[in-house]
Amino acid sequence: MSHKVAPSLLSANFLNLQADIEMINNSEADWIHCDIMDGVFVPNISFGFPILEKVKEVAKKPLDVHLMIVQPEKFIEQVKNAGAYMMNVHYEASTHLHRTIAAIHEAGMKAGVTLNPHTPVTLLNDILHDVDMVLLMSVNPGFGGQKFIEHSLSKVSQLKEIILKKNLNTLIEVDGGVNLETGKKLVEAGADILVAGNAVFSTSNPAETIHKLKSLT
Ligand code: DX5
Ligand code: ZN
């Protein structure tokens, strides 16, 4: 199976979000990555549910929602009502992760667990079979346009090996500093979904960049 690409709206033009979503609709992108921050779990605030609901009205691709917030379990209904396909919660932000994952599934969404750069993949041993995806952060979350942390590559390989050994279908998504160069290494290491914000929206032809990210082998 070839990898997916999920452009991150964090680097889109918020004054004309509709145009950027339509660009994604007409591109080879698979999902739309939406970053929600609370200024507590991460040192920044992005956008919340009213914007997400508007995004959903125009988006023709599944919404991959990345919650960088404390106590994400409080917002499962709102994330569902805003039209999310995948709800990603941070391992570091949810004390009762097993219950949270079950509640996300009960709400009818796919469930992803996200790891900060310092959190080892081996901590997922007792939850991996319950989640649809692991989102590995390859920067410290909170901002777009940061430098890729090279160590993330070995986390991808290590996690891929664990998933294969357990005979699971869990997807691996990587987020932060992904561009054509780091994206190629990530695909080689076993990443299934590449999130890219700055690498897509800072280029003069974002749809062409999405095509190039999709073409990486
Ligand atoms: C960062 C967000 C990312 C961000 C990635 O905390 O989770 O999704 O948009 O941006 P780039 O691709 O520019 O590193
Ligand atoms: Zn993200």
Side-chain angles (χ1 to χ4, degrees), residues 8-11 33-35 37 42 66 68 135 137 139-147 175-178 195-200:
S8 166
L9 288 187
L10 194 61
S11 296
H33 187 81
C34 305
D35 292 297
M37 306 177 188
V42 288
H66 176 195
M68 284 160 273
L135 168 51
M137 291 310 300
V139 296
N140 286 294
F143 305 92
Q146 299 183 83
K147 189 178 179 306
D175 183 8
V178 176
V195 175
N198 192 55
V200 167

Side-chain angles (χ1 to χ4, degrees), residues 22-196:
E22 279 163 3
M23 178 281 293
I24 297 173
N25 284 344
N26 296 323
S27 76
E28 288 172 50
D30 298 275
W31 295 348
I32 302 181
H33 187 81
C34 305
D35 292 297
I36 298 190
M37 306 177 188
D38 66 355
V40 178
F41 182 69
V42 288
N44 199 8
I45 296 177
S46 54
F47 54 80
F49 299 116
I51 302 285
L52 201 57
E53 284 162 21
K54 289 292 168 195
V55 168
K56 182 63 193 168
E57 283 179 20
V58 226
K60 292 194 180 135
K61 315 242 168 163
L63 300 188
D64 175 36
V65 179
H66 176 195
L67 293 161
M68 284 160 273
I69 64 172
V70 295
Q71 298 182 313
E73 59 278 356
K74 284 188 179 169
F75 298 96
I76 294 172
E77 268 323 298
Q78 273 163 282
V79 174
K80 170 67 187 174
N81 293 339
Y85 165 73
M86 175 79 74
M87 175 168 170
N88 297 288
V89 297
H90 269 261
Y91 178 89
E92 304 85 3
S94 186
T95 312
H96 300 285
L97 188 58
H98 184 272
R99 181 186 288 146
T100 305
I101 297 298
I104 294 172
H105 282 145
E106 272 162 36
M109 292 178 285
K110 300 277 185 197
V113 59
T114 310
L115 300 188
N116 273 335
H118 72 276
T119 306
V121 295
T122 47
L123 283 179
L124 296 176
N125 201 36
D126 295 306
I127 194 77
L128 204 53
H129 50 281
D130 289 312
V131 300
D132 301 290
M133 187 171 87
V134 177
L135 168 51
L136 293 177
M137 291 310 300
S138 41
V139 296
N140 286 294
F143 305 92
Q146 299 183 83
K147 189 178 179 306
F148 181 79
I149 298 170
E150 287 290 328
H151 176 67
S152 317
L153 289 167
S154 61
K155 285 179 81 175
V156 174
S157 321
Q158 198 188 352
L159 180 59
K160 191 74 176 184
E161 205 180 309
I162 297 170
I163 290 169
L164 292 175
K165 208 173 272 176
K166 287 180 183 282
N167 212 9
L168 297 171
N169 297 317
T170 324
L171 297 168
I172 303 176
E173 181 174 53
V174 187
D175 183 8
V178 176
N179 54 35
L180 293 174
E181 189 193 332
T182 56
K184 184 172 170 53
K185 294 182 197 169
L186 286 165
V187 169
E188 279 168 7
D192 301 294
I193 303 108
L194 301 177
V195 175

Side-chain angles (χ1 to χ4, degrees), residues 20 23 198-210 212:
D20 281 346
M23 178 281 293
N198 192 55
V200 167
F201 289 101
S202 70
T203 50
S204 54
N205 189 342
E208 174 65 17
T209 306
I210 292 168
K212 286 181 183 161

